[in-house]
Amino acid sequence: MAQKMEIIARQTSQKKIIYDYLMSVKIHPTAEAVYENVKKKLPQISQATVYRVLNNLKIKQKAITIMSAGVAHFDADMSPHTHFICEKCNDVFDVPDECSNCGILKNIKTKVGKINNYKIYFYGKCNKCEK
Ligand SMILES: [Zn+2]
Ligand SMILES: [Zn+2]
């Protein structure tokens, strides 16, 4: 019993550390990058655990993924915001104000149904790659 409690406590803290890490960064890390960072705090954690926790966060709608060059980047910022994907380094950036007019898309009735929400991705070369 005590052992089971211990396992649950450990899983909870693993989950919390992964979630806290994701909340604290703006870099939209890949699952692998999350694993590399979390490993510093939890040296015993397995890659499979990190992937499972990330997938659960996604299912519970506490995180989203943005695909860049076929790789999922994680974001725990659930507020509606637009992303910029660099076609050179494949990094994902937040673009906070660039799409203030896009709200007009909401409630528009299309041939297949009414729009409740939308996601917009900008593609280009980031400032770092442009240099
Ligand atoms: Zn770039
Ligand atoms: Zn974001």
Side-chain angles (χ1 to χ4, degrees):
M1 187 63 181
Q3 205 182 357
K4 200 181 173 198
M5 293 280 281
E6 209 177 280
I7 290 167
I8 289 167
R10 195 173 67 208
Q11 283 172 349
T12 308
S13 72
Q14 285 178 341
K15 225 178 355 186
K16 196 179 166 345
I17 285 169
I18 291 168
Y19 184 62
D20 286 351
Y21 167 70
L22 214 52
M23 284 291 280
S24 72
V25 291
K26 280 266 160 216
I27 55 166
H28 306 84
T30 61
E32 209 183 316
V34 173
Y35 170 63
E36 290 301 327
N37 267 280
V38 168
K39 212 166 59 171
K40 290 175 198 159
K41 274 190 180 169
L42 302 164
Q44 80 288 6
I45 200 165
S46 72
Q47 204 165 352
T49 303
V50 173
Y51 281 50
R52 187 168 34 91
V53 170
L54 286 171
N55 204 36
N56 275 331
L57 287 172
K58 214 179 134 177
I59 290 165
K60 295 210 169 105
Q61 300 194 333
K62 287 183 154 186
I64 52 163
T65 50
I66 303 106
M67 295 304 287
S68 171
V71 179
H73 291 247
F74 287 82
D75 190 355
D77 179 1
M78 296 304 282
S79 67
H81 63 279
T82 307
H83 289 105
F84 181 100
I85 296 164
C86 178
E87 291 172 311
K88 192 154 183 236
C89 66
N90 302 324
D91 274 355
V92 178
F93 304 87
D94 286 336
V95 190
D97 305 314
E98 221 61 63
C99 207
S100 49
N101 277 332
C102 293
I104 56 166
L105 295 171
K106 270 195 176 184
N107 297 320
I108 282 182
K109 227 170 150 358
T110 71
K111 276 181 189 159
V112 289
K114 198 179 88 180
I115 298 171
N116 288 329
N117 222 328
Y118 55 90
K119 276 181 189 155
I120 291 169
Y121 300 108
F122 296 125
Y123 294 87
K125 228 194 242 179
C126 74
N127 291 335
K128 194 177 66 194
C129 292
E130 197 68 73
K131 273 177 197 159

